[in-house]
Amino acid sequence: MSLVATEPTLRARAGLGSLLDTCWFVAALAGVLATALSAAGSWIPSLWGDEAASVMSAERSLPSLAGMLGHVDAVHGTYYFALHGWIRIAGTSPFALRFPSAVAVGLATAAVLLIAWRLDGRRVAIIAGAVCMILPRVTYMGEEARSYAFSAAAAAWLTLLLIEILQRREVRARWWVVYGVLLSAGTYLFLYVALFAVVHAVVLATVRPRRATLIGWGAAVTGAAVVAVPLALVGMLERHQIAYLAASQQVTIPTLFSGLWFGTWWVAVVCSALIVTGVAFAWRRRRTENRATADQMPSTVKRSMPTLVTLCAAWLLVPTGVLIAAHAVIPDFTARYVSFCAPAAAILVACGIKALLDMRRRAGVFAAALLVAVIAPVYLGQRTPYAKNDSDWAEVSAAVGTNAHAGDGVIFDESVRPSWRPRLALHTYPAGFVGLKDVTLDVPFQQNDTWHDSALSVAEADERKRLVGIERVWLVEYAASPPEPDSWGLDALEREGFVQTGTRVATHRELIIELTR
């Protein structure tokens, strides 16, 4: 066998090498891999309260949805309208509902790779893309039917666009129009994306952009702000929706250390160590950088471009800091709200791995392997039946469907807050309830001015003759822990002549009780 490569073979190898050196090709590949990783197993966890709000809102008619948004959830309206169209094509299975978020994670990962490539080269870019696609917050929002993955994608591409603008010697007005449109669209997807105007202001303050750049950026942000005013006003009027955040501890040390982007404390320890390493190395490199190498870049570019670490530090800290500070006055913060900062965390972790690789290859390889080792159990845990807030509605639906018969009645515990109510199993997994009578339903969600049904008590349902002709009822009680289920409605049913007949099915968070006359 000849050891000398033929000319066609050399050309093929050169072509492959050129392709792999093309940042857009590598970014597209990373995006596809990230989408696949987030979509894998996404159908396993039961849908939970926030996702129930998404699917029930999307299932409304357009006039009904528009009417609901005038009372609640206006800040999620754009996502609901988009999901409304999507489910007409793909259906409402958990996989179908969550797949758009997996695609959004792919888009965010591609943008992360391009940002890192533009500012610090191919090596850190590939590492950043790999870290982004496995970071726990990213894989979590990639399997959730909410707008958080889209907010991360919008923030990442908006930041990439700013970098592209800063690298250009001449910037036409259309670039700023695109920037303003993307900022507006991101804000309508998730209101807090508007904070990236502040992030980018901080980034611009660290460099020396041309006066025309500042004028163009200011005009784009002003235009986006004007467009976002209606959403901001309606959001303020509907802020009672998140008033419950004031009654719960959202800003705690465990939340800030691990809950925002890392999932568990051991992932947080490894990632935090790598972030500190990357920041320290970047600071040291900047101080000791060879002036001759630095002078190879045009001075205008050198002055007008932020460093990768500076950019990501602003991206990570500014929105988080603003929301936490505002939370002391108006409850507006929970860990999910800063999901759009996860790409910045991924890039900073990648900077730490690259720094270790540059100093000692074995140390960098060990750090990368350790990161994968601590993240793998978190990823697998996210793809278990009760991974989403302990929701077990798929299990409830299956249990009711196995035991109930057509014509039976079903009654749901209404004593807990709307996003925890067992009734949501009926809307997220309807197959198990086909043919059953919803005894206590008052106003269906499609006709309601909020996202969920309104229900009667058992006594009110009996007054309206809802129990007439029903010989068997299945009572689905909420149980914070299986040994201690609620007893909502049980006494009222027994007063109406129903008795427990022995069938009791305990699911992860509910107790299903059979009662007959």
Side-chain angles (χ1 to χ4, degrees), residues 82-168:
L83 192 62
H84 173 89
W86 169 251
I87 64 175
R88 297 302 184 274
I89 301 169
T92 57
S93 70
F95 177 80
L97 289 168
R98 290 164 171 164
F99 184 71
S101 293
V103 174
V105 160
L107 291 172
T109 301
V112 160
L113 190 144
L114 292 169
I115 290 167
W117 197 307
R118 293 288 181 89
L119 295 181
D120 209 354
R122 180 178 65 177
R123 193 178 197 185
V124 73
I126 292 174
I127 299 170
V131 173
C132 186
M133 69 177 70
I134 66 172
L135 200 69
R137 175 56 67 183
V138 174
T139 54
Y140 185 89
M141 65 186 177
E143 59 153 8
E144 184 167 66
R146 296 298 280 172
S147 62
Y148 301 118
F150 292 91
S151 73
W157 282 93
L158 184 69
T159 301
L160 177 63
L161 180 59
L162 179 67
I163 293 169
E164 174 66 27
I165 289 171
L166 291 177
Q167 286 183 329
R168 289 179 169 266

Coordinates of all heavy atoms in Angstrom, one line a residue, residues 82-168:
A82 N -47.1 32.1 18.7 CA -46.2 31.2 17.9 C -46.5 29.7 18.2 O -46.6 28.9 17.2 CB -44.8 31.5 18.2
L83 N -46.7 29.4 19.4 CA -47.0 28.0 19.8 C -48.4 27.6 19.3 O -48.6 26.5 18.9 CB -47.0 27.8 21.3 CG -47.0 26.4 21.9 CD1 -45.8 25.6 21.4 CD2 -47.0 26.4 23.4
H84 N -49.3 28.6 19.2 CA -50.7 28.3 18.6 C -50.5 27.8 17.2 O -51.2 26.8 16.8 CB -51.5 29.6 18.7 CG -52.8 29.5 18.0 ND1 -54.0 29.1 18.6 CD2 -53.2 29.8 16.7 CE1 -55.0 29.1 17.8 NE2 -54.5 29.6 16.6
G85 N -49.7 28.4 16.4 CA -49.5 28.0 15.1 C -48.7 26.7 15.0 O -49.1 25.8 14.2
W86 N -47.8 26.5 15.9 CA -46.9 25.3 15.8 C -47.8 24.0 16.2 O -47.6 23.0 15.5 CB -45.8 25.4 16.8 CG -45.0 24.1 17.1 CD1 -45.0 23.4 18.2 CD2 -44.1 23.5 16.2 NE1 -44.2 22.3 18.1 CE2 -43.7 22.3 16.8 CE3 -43.7 23.7 14.9 CZ2 -42.8 21.4 16.2 CZ3 -42.8 22.8 14.3 CH2 -42.4 21.7 14.9
I87 N -48.6 24.1 17.2 CA -49.4 22.9 17.5 C -50.4 22.5 16.5 O -50.9 21.4 16.4 CB -50.0 23.0 18.9 CG1 -51.1 24.1 18.9 CG2 -49.0 23.3 20.0 CD1 -51.9 24.2 20.3
R88 N -50.8 23.5 15.6 CA -51.7 23.1 14.5 C -51.0 22.2 13.5 O -51.6 21.4 12.8 CB -52.2 24.4 13.8 CG -53.0 25.3 14.6 CD -54.2 24.6 15.2 NE -55.1 25.5 15.9 CZ -55.0 25.9 17.2 NH1 -54.0 25.4 17.9 NH2 -55.9 26.6 17.8
I89 N -49.7 22.2 13.5 CA -48.9 21.4 12.6 C -48.4 20.1 13.3 O -48.5 19.0 12.8 CB -47.6 22.2 12.1 CG1 -48.1 23.5 11.4 CG2 -46.8 21.3 11.2 CD1 -47.0 24.4 11.1
A90 N -47.9 20.3 14.5 CA -47.1 19.2 15.2 C -47.9 18.5 16.3 O -47.5 17.5 16.8 CB -45.8 19.8 15.8
G91 N -49.1 19.1 16.7 CA -49.8 18.5 17.8 C -49.3 18.9 19.2 O -48.5 19.8 19.3
T92 N -49.9 18.3 20.2 CA -49.6 18.7 21.6 C -49.0 17.6 22.4 O -49.1 17.7 23.7 CB -50.9 19.2 22.3 OG1 -51.9 18.1 22.2 CG2 -51.5 20.4 21.6
S93 N -48.3 16.7 21.8 CA -47.5 15.8 22.6 C -46.4 16.5 23.3 O -46.0 17.6 22.9 CB -46.9 14.7 21.7 OG -45.9 15.2 20.9
P94 N -45.9 16.0 24.5 CA -44.8 16.6 25.2 C -43.6 16.9 24.3 O -43.0 18.0 24.3 CB -44.5 15.7 26.3 CG -45.8 15.0 26.6 CD -46.4 14.8 25.3
F95 N -43.3 15.9 23.4 CA -42.1 16.1 22.5 C -42.4 17.3 21.5 O -41.5 18.2 21.3 CB -41.8 14.9 21.7 CG -40.7 15.0 20.7 CD1 -39.4 15.0 21.1 CD2 -41.0 15.3 19.4 CE1 -38.3 15.2 20.2 CE2 -40.0 15.4 18.5 CZ -38.6 15.4 18.9
A96 N -43.6 17.3 20.9 CA -43.9 18.4 20.0 C -43.9 19.7 20.7 O -43.4 20.7 20.1 CB -45.3 18.1 19.4
L97 N -44.5 19.8 21.9 CA -44.5 21.1 22.6 C -43.1 21.6 22.9 O -42.9 22.8 22.9 CB -45.3 20.9 23.9 CG -46.8 20.8 23.7 CD1 -47.5 20.3 25.0 CD2 -47.5 22.0 23.2
R98 N -42.2 20.7 23.2 CA -40.9 21.1 23.7 C -39.9 21.2 22.6 O -38.8 21.9 22.8 CB -40.4 20.1 24.8 CG -41.2 20.2 26.1 CD -41.0 19.0 27.0 NE -41.6 19.2 28.3 CZ -41.8 18.2 29.2 NH1 -41.6 17.0 28.8 NH2 -42.4 18.5 30.3
F99 N -40.1 20.7 21.5 CA -39.1 20.7 20.4 C -38.7 22.1 20.0 O -37.5 22.3 19.7 CB -39.6 19.8 19.2 CG -38.5 19.7 18.1 CD1 -37.4 18.9 18.3 CD2 -38.7 20.4 16.9 CE1 -36.4 18.8 17.4 CE2 -37.7 20.3 16.0 CZ -36.6 19.5 16.2
P100 N -39.6 23.0 19.8 CA -39.2 24.4 19.4 C -38.2 25.0 20.4 O -37.2 25.7 20.0 CB -40.5 25.2 19.5 CG -41.6 24.2 19.2 CD -41.1 22.9 19.9
S101 N -38.3 24.6 21.7 CA -37.3 25.1 22.7 C -35.9 24.5 22.4 O -34.9 25.1 22.6 CB -37.7 24.8 24.1 OG -38.9 25.6 24.4
A102 N -35.9 23.2 22.0 CA -34.7 22.5 21.7 C -34.0 23.2 20.5 O -32.8 23.4 20.4 CB -34.9 21.1 21.4
V103 N -34.8 23.6 19.5 CA -34.3 24.3 18.3 C -33.7 25.7 18.7 O -32.6 26.1 18.3 CB -35.4 24.5 17.3 CG1 -34.9 25.4 16.1 CG2 -35.8 23.1 16.7
A104 N -34.4 26.3 19.6 CA -33.9 27.6 20.1 C -32.6 27.5 20.9 O -31.7 28.3 20.7 CB -34.9 28.3 21.1
V105 N -32.4 26.4 21.6 CA -31.1 26.1 22.2 C -30.0 25.9 21.2 O -28.9 26.4 21.3 CB -31.2 24.9 23.2 CG1 -29.9 24.2 23.4 CG2 -31.9 25.2 24.5
G106 N -30.4 25.2 20.1 CA -29.4 25.1 19.0 C -29.0 26.4 18.4 O -27.8 26.6 18.2
L107 N -30.0 27.3 18.3 CA -29.7 28.6 17.8 C -28.8 29.4 18.7 O -27.8 30.1 18.3 CB -30.9 29.4 17.5 CG -31.8 28.9 16.3 CD1 -33.2 29.6 16.3 CD2 -31.1 29.1 15.0
A108 N -29.1 29.3 20.0 CA -28.2 30.0 21.0 C -26.8 29.4 21.0 O -25.9 30.2 21.1 CB -28.9 29.8 22.4
T109 N -26.7 28.1 20.9 CA -25.4 27.5 20.9 C -24.6 27.9 19.7 O -23.4 28.2 19.8 CB -25.5 26.0 21.0 OG1 -26.2 25.6 22.2 CG2 -24.2 25.3 21.0
A110 N -25.2 28.0 18.6 CA -24.5 28.4 17.3 C -24.0 29.9 17.5 O -22.9 30.2 17.2 CB -25.4 28.3 16.1
A111 N -24.8 30.7 18.1 CA -24.4 32.1 18.3 C -23.3 32.2 19.3 O -22.3 33.0 19.2 CB -25.6 33.0 18.8
V112 N -23.3 31.4 20.4 CA -22.2 31.4 21.4 C -20.9 31.0 20.7 O -19.9 31.7 20.9 CB -22.5 30.3 22.5 CG1 -21.3 29.9 23.2 CG2 -23.5 30.9 23.4
L113 N -20.9 30.0 19.8 CA -19.7 29.6 19.1 C -19.2 30.7 18.2 O -18.0 31.0 18.2 CB -20.0 28.3 18.3 CG -18.7 27.6 17.7 CD1 -18.9 26.1 17.7 CD2 -18.5 28.1 16.3
L114 N -20.1 31.4 17.5 CA -19.7 32.5 16.6 C -19.1 33.7 17.4 O -18.1 34.3 17.0 CB -20.8 32.9 15.8 CG -21.3 31.9 14.7 CD1 -22.7 32.3 14.1 CD2 -20.3 31.7 13.6
I115 N -19.7 34.0 18.6 CA -19.2 35.1 19.4 C -17.8 34.8 19.9 O -16.9 35.7 19.8 CB -20.2 35.3 20.6 CG1 -21.5 35.9 20.1 CG2 -19.5 36.2 21.6 CD1 -22.6 35.9 21.2
A116 N -17.6 33.6 20.4 CA -16.3 33.2 20.9 C -15.3 33.2 19.8 O -14.1 33.6 19.9 CB -16.4 31.9 21.6
W117 N -15.7 32.7 18.6 CA -14.8 32.6 17.5 C -14.3 34.0 17.0 O -13.1 34.3 16.8 CB -15.5 31.9 16.3 CG -14.6 31.4 15.2 CD1 -13.6 32.1 14.5 CD2 -14.5 30.1 14.7 NE1 -13.0 31.3 13.6 CE2 -13.5 30.0 13.7 CE3 -15.2 28.9 15.0 CZ2 -13.2 28.9 13.0 CZ3 -14.9 27.7 14.3 CH2 -13.9 27.7 13.3
R118 N -15.3 35.0 17.0 CA -15.0 36.3 16.5 C -14.0 37.0 17.5 O -13.1 37.8 17.1 CB -16.2 37.1 16.4 CG -17.2 36.7 15.3 CD -16.7 37.0 13.9 NE -17.6 36.6 12.9 CZ -18.6 37.4 12.4 NH1 -18.8 38.6 12.9 NH2 -19.4 36.9 11.5
L119 N -14.2 36.8 18.8 CA -13.4 37.5 19.8 C -12.1 36.8 20.3 O -11.2 37.5 20.8 CB -14.3 37.9 20.9 CG -15.5 38.8 20.6 CD1 -16.3 39.1 21.9 CD2 -15.0 40.2 20.0
D120 N -12.1 35.5 20.2 CA -10.9 34.8 20.8 C -10.5 33.6 20.0 O -9.6 32.8 20.5 CB -11.3 34.4 22.2 CG -10.0 34.3 23.1 OD1 -8.9 34.5 22.5 OD2 -10.1 34.1 24.3
G121 N -11.0 33.3 18.8 CA -10.5 32.3 18.0 C -11.3 30.9 18.1 O -12.2 30.7 18.9
R122 N -10.8 30.0 17.2 CA -11.6 28.8 17.0 C -11.5 27.9 18.2 O -12.6 27.3 18.5 CB -10.9 28.0 15.8 CG -11.6 26.7 15.5 CD -11.0 26.0 14.3 NE -9.7 25.6 14.5 CZ -8.9 25.0 13.7 NH1 -9.4 24.6 12.5 NH2 -7.7 24.6 13.9
R123 N -10.4 27.8 18.9 CA -10.3 26.8 20.0 C -11.3 27.1 21.1 O -12.0 26.2 21.5 CB -8.9 26.8 20.5 CG -8.6 25.6 21.4 CD -7.1 25.7 21.9 NE -6.6 24.4 22.4 CZ -5.5 24.2 22.9 NH1 -4.6 25.2 23.0 NH2 -5.1 23.0 23.4
V124 N -11.3 28.3 21.6 CA -12.2 28.6 22.7 C -13.7 28.6 22.2 O -14.6 28.2 22.9 CB -11.9 30.0 23.3 CG1 -12.3 31.1 22.4 CG2 -12.6 30.1 24.6
A125 N -13.9 28.8 20.9 CA -15.2 28.8 20.3 C -15.8 27.4 20.4 O -17.0 27.2 20.8 CB -15.2 29.3 18.9
I126 N -15.0 26.4 19.9 CA -15.5 25.1 19.9 C -15.8 24.6 21.3 O -16.8 23.9 21.6 CB -14.5 24.1 19.2 CG1 -14.5 24.5 17.7 CG2 -14.9 22.7 19.4 CD1 -13.4 23.8 16.9
I127 N -14.9 24.9 22.3 CA -15.1 24.5 23.7 C -16.4 25.2 24.2 O -17.2 24.6 24.9 CB -13.9 24.9 24.5 CG1 -12.7 24.2 24.1 CG2 -14.2 24.6 26.0 CD1 -11.4 24.7 24.7
A128 N -16.6 26.5 23.9 CA -17.8 27.2 24.3 C -19.0 26.6 23.8 O -20.0 26.5 24.5 CB -17.7 28.7 23.9
G129 N -19.0 26.2 22.5 CA -20.2 25.6 22.0 C -20.5 24.3 22.7 O -21.7 23.9 23.0
A130 N -19.5 23.5 23.0 CA -19.7 22.2 23.6 C -20.2 22.4 25.1 O -21.1 21.7 25.5 CB -18.3 21.4 23.7
V131 N -19.6 23.4 25.8 CA -20.1 23.6 27.2 C -21.5 24.1 27.1 O -22.4 23.7 28.0 CB -19.2 24.7 27.9 CG1 -19.8 25.0 29.2 CG2 -17.8 24.1 28.0
C132 N -21.9 25.0 26.2 CA -23.2 25.6 26.2 C -24.3 24.5 26.0 O -25.3 24.5 26.6 CB -23.3 26.6 25.0 SG -24.9 27.5 25.0
M133 N -24.0 23.5 25.1 CA -25.0 22.5 24.8 C -25.2 21.5 25.9 O -26.2 20.8 26.0 CB -24.7 21.8 23.5 CG -23.5 20.9 23.6 SD -23.2 20.0 22.0 CE -22.7 21.3 20.9
I134 N -24.3 21.5 26.9 CA -24.5 20.5 28.1 C -24.7 21.2 29.4 O -25.0 20.6 30.4 CB -23.3 19.6 28.2 CG1 -22.0 20.4 28.6 CG2 -23.1 18.8 27.0 CD1 -20.8 19.5 29.0
L135 N -24.7 22.6 29.4 CA -24.9 23.3 30.7 C -26.3 23.0 31.2 O -27.2 23.1 30.5 CB -24.7 24.8 30.5 CG -24.4 25.6 31.7 CD1 -23.0 25.3 32.3 CD2 -24.5 27.1 31.4
P136 N -26.4 22.7 32.5 CA -27.7 22.3 33.0 C -28.9 23.2 32.7 O -30.0 22.8 32.4 CB -27.5 22.1 34.5 CG -26.1 21.6 34.6 CD -25.4 22.4 33.5
R137 N -28.7 24.5 32.9 CA -29.8 25.5 32.6 C -30.2 25.4 31.1 O -31.4 25.5 30.8 CB -29.4 26.9 33.0 CG -30.4 28.0 32.7 CD -31.7 27.7 33.3 NE -31.7 27.8 34.7 CZ -32.8 27.6 35.5 NH1 -33.9 27.2 34.9 NH2 -32.7 27.7 36.8
V138 N -29.2 25.2 30.3 CA -29.5 25.2 28.8 C -30.3 23.9 28.5 O -31.3 24.0 27.8 CB -28.2 25.2 28.0 CG1 -28.5 25.0 26.5 CG2 -27.5 26.6 28.3
T139 N -29.8 22.7 29.0 CA -30.6 21.5 28.7 C -31.9 21.5 29.3 O -32.8 20.8 28.8 CB -29.7 20.3 29.1 OG1 -29.4 20.4 30.4 CG2 -28.5 20.2 28.2
Y140 N -32.1 22.2 30.4 CA -33.4 22.2 31.1 C -34.4 23.1 30.3 O -35.5 22.7 30.0 CB -33.2 22.8 32.5 CG -34.5 22.8 33.3 CD1 -34.9 21.7 34.1 CD2 -35.4 23.9 33.3 CE1 -36.0 21.7 34.8 CE2 -36.6 23.9 34.0 CZ -36.9 22.8 34.8 OH -38.1 22.8 35.5
M141 N -33.9 24.3 29.9 CA -34.9 25.1 29.1 C -35.1 24.6 27.7 O -36.1 24.9 27.0 CB -34.4 26.6 29.1 CG -33.1 26.8 28.3 SD -32.6 28.6 28.5 CE -31.0 28.6 27.7
G142 N -34.2 23.7 27.2 CA -34.3 23.1 25.9 C -35.3 22.0 25.9 O -35.7 21.5 24.8
E143 N -35.8 21.6 27.1 CA -36.9 20.6 27.1 C -38.1 21.1 27.9 O -38.8 20.4 28.6 CB -36.4 19.3 27.8 CG -35.9 19.5 29.2 CD -36.0 18.2 30.1 OE1 -36.3 17.1 29.6 OE2 -35.8 18.4 31.3
E144 N -38.4 22.4 27.7 CA -39.5 23.0 28.4 C -40.3 23.9 27.4 O -39.7 24.7 26.7 CB -39.0 23.9 29.5 CG -40.1 24.5 30.4 CD -39.5 25.0 31.7 OE1 -38.8 26.0 31.6 OE2 -39.9 24.5 32.7
A145 N -41.6 23.7 27.4 CA -42.4 24.5 26.5 C -42.7 25.9 27.1 O -43.8 26.2 27.5 CB -43.8 23.7 26.3
R146 N -41.7 26.7 27.2 CA -41.7 28.1 27.7 C -40.8 28.9 26.8 O -40.1 28.3 25.9 CB -41.3 28.2 29.1 CG -42.3 27.5 30.1 CD -43.7 28.1 30.0 NE -43.8 29.3 30.8 CZ -45.0 30.0 30.8 NH1 -46.0 29.7 30.0 NH2 -45.0 31.1 31.5
S147 N -40.8 30.2 27.0 CA -40.0 31.1 26.1 C -38.6 31.3 26.5 O -37.9 32.1 25.8 CB -40.7 32.4 26.0 OG -40.8 33.1 27.3
Y148 N -38.1 30.6 27.6 CA -36.8 31.0 28.1 C -35.7 30.6 27.1 O -34.7 31.4 26.9 CB -36.5 30.3 29.4 CG -37.6 30.6 30.4 CD1 -38.4 29.7 31.0 CD2 -37.7 32.0 30.9 CE1 -39.4 30.0 31.9 CE2 -38.7 32.3 31.8 CZ -39.5 31.3 32.3 OH -40.5 31.7 33.2
A149 N -35.8 29.5 26.4 CA -34.8 29.2 25.4 C -34.7 30.2 24.3 O -33.7 30.5 23.7 CB -35.0 27.8 24.8
F150 N -35.9 30.7 23.9 CA -35.9 31.7 22.8 C -35.3 33.0 23.3 O -34.7 33.7 22.5 CB -37.4 31.9 22.4 CG -38.0 30.7 21.7 CD1 -38.6 29.7 22.4 CD2 -37.8 30.6 20.3 CE1 -39.1 28.6 21.7 CE2 -38.3 29.5 19.6 CZ -39.0 28.5 20.3
S151 N -35.5 33.3 24.6 CA -34.9 34.6 25.1 C -33.4 34.4 25.1 O -32.7 35.4 24.8 CB -35.4 34.8 26.5 OG -34.8 33.9 27.5
A152 N -32.8 33.2 25.4 CA -31.4 33.0 25.3 C -30.9 33.1 23.9 O -29.8 33.7 23.6 CB -31.0 31.7 25.9
A153 N -31.6 32.6 22.9 CA -31.2 32.7 21.5 C -31.3 34.1 21.1 O -30.3 34.6 20.4 CB -32.2 31.8 20.7
A154 N -32.3 34.9 21.4 CA -32.4 36.3 21.1 C -31.3 37.1 21.6 O -30.6 37.9 20.9 CB -33.7 36.9 21.5
A155 N -30.9 36.9 22.9 CA -29.8 37.6 23.5 C -28.5 37.3 22.9 O -27.7 38.2 22.6 CB -29.8 37.3 25.0
A156 N -28.3 36.0 22.5 CA -27.0 35.6 21.9 C -26.8 36.2 20.5 O -25.8 36.7 20.2 CB -26.9 34.1 21.9
W157 N -27.9 36.1 19.7 CA -27.8 36.7 18.4 C -27.7 38.2 18.4 O -27.1 38.8 17.5 CB -28.9 36.1 17.5 CG -28.7 34.7 17.1 CD1 -29.1 33.6 17.7 CD2 -27.9 34.3 16.0 NE1 -28.6 32.5 17.0 CE2 -27.9 32.9 16.0 CE3 -27.2 35.0 14.9 CZ2 -27.2 32.2 15.0 CZ3 -26.5 34.3 14.0 CH2 -26.5 32.9 14.0
L158 N -28.4 38.8 19.3 CA -28.3 40.3 19.4 C -26.9 40.7 19.8 O -26.4 41.7 19.2 CB -29.3 40.8 20.5 CG -29.4 42.3 20.7 CD1 -30.1 42.9 19.4 CD2 -30.2 42.6 21.9
T159 N -26.3 39.9 20.7 CA -24.9 40.2 21.0 C -23.9 40.0 19.9 O -23.0 40.8 19.6 CB -24.5 39.4 22.3 OG1 -25.4 39.7 23.3 CG2 -23.1 39.7 22.7
L160 N -24.1 38.9 19.1 CA -23.3 38.6 18.0 C -23.5 39.8 16.9 O -22.5 40.2 16.3 CB -23.7 37.3 17.3 CG -23.0 36.9 16.0 CD1 -21.5 36.7 16.3 CD2 -23.6 35.6 15.5
L161 N -24.7 40.3 16.8 CA -24.9 41.3 15.8 C -24.1 42.6 16.2 O -23.5 43.3 15.4 CB -26.4 41.6 15.7 CG -26.8 42.8 14.8 CD1 -26.4 42.5 13.3 CD2 -28.3 42.9 14.8
L162 N -24.1 42.9 17.5 CA -23.4 44.0 18.0 C -21.9 43.9 17.7 O -21.2 44.8 17.3 CB -23.6 44.2 19.5 CG -22.8 45.4 20.2 CD1 -23.3 46.7 19.7 CD2 -22.8 45.3 21.7
I163 N -21.3 42.7 17.9 CA -19.9 42.4 17.6 C -19.7 42.6 16.1 O -18.7 43.2 15.7 CB -19.6 41.0 18.0 CG1 -19.6 40.9 19.5 CG2 -18.2 40.6 17.5 CD1 -19.5 39.5 20.0
E164 N -20.6 42.1 15.3 CA -20.4 42.3 13.8 C -20.4 43.8 13.5 O -19.6 44.2 12.6 CB -21.6 41.6 13.1 CG -21.6 41.8 11.6 CD -20.4 41.2 10.9 OE1 -19.8 40.2 11.4 OE2 -20.1 41.7 9.8
I165 N -21.3 44.5 14.1 CA -21.3 46.0 13.8 C -20.0 46.7 14.2 O -19.5 47.5 13.5 CB -22.5 46.6 14.5 CG1 -23.8 46.1 13.8 CG2 -22.4 48.1 14.5 CD1 -25.1 46.5 14.5
L166 N -19.5 46.3 15.4 CA -18.3 46.9 15.9 C -17.1 46.6 15.1 O -16.1 47.4 15.0 CB -18.1 46.5 17.4 CG -19.1 47.0 18.4 CD1 -18.7 46.5 19.8 CD2 -19.0 48.6 18.5
Q167 N -17.1 45.4 14.4 CA -16.0 45.0 13.6 C -15.9 45.7 12.2 O -14.9 45.6 11.5 CB -15.9 43.5 13.5 CG -15.5 42.8 14.7 CD -15.4 41.3 14.5 OE1 -16.1 40.7 13.7 NE2 -14.5 40.6 15.3
R168 N -17.0 46.2 11.8 CA -17.1 46.9 10.5 C -16.6 48.3 10.5 O -16.8 49.0 11.4 CB -18.6 46.9 10.0 CG -19.1 45.5 9.7 CD -20.5 45.5 9.2 NE -20.9 44.2 8.6 CZ -20.8 43.9 7.3 NH1 -20.4 44.8 6.5 NH2 -21.1 42.7 6.9

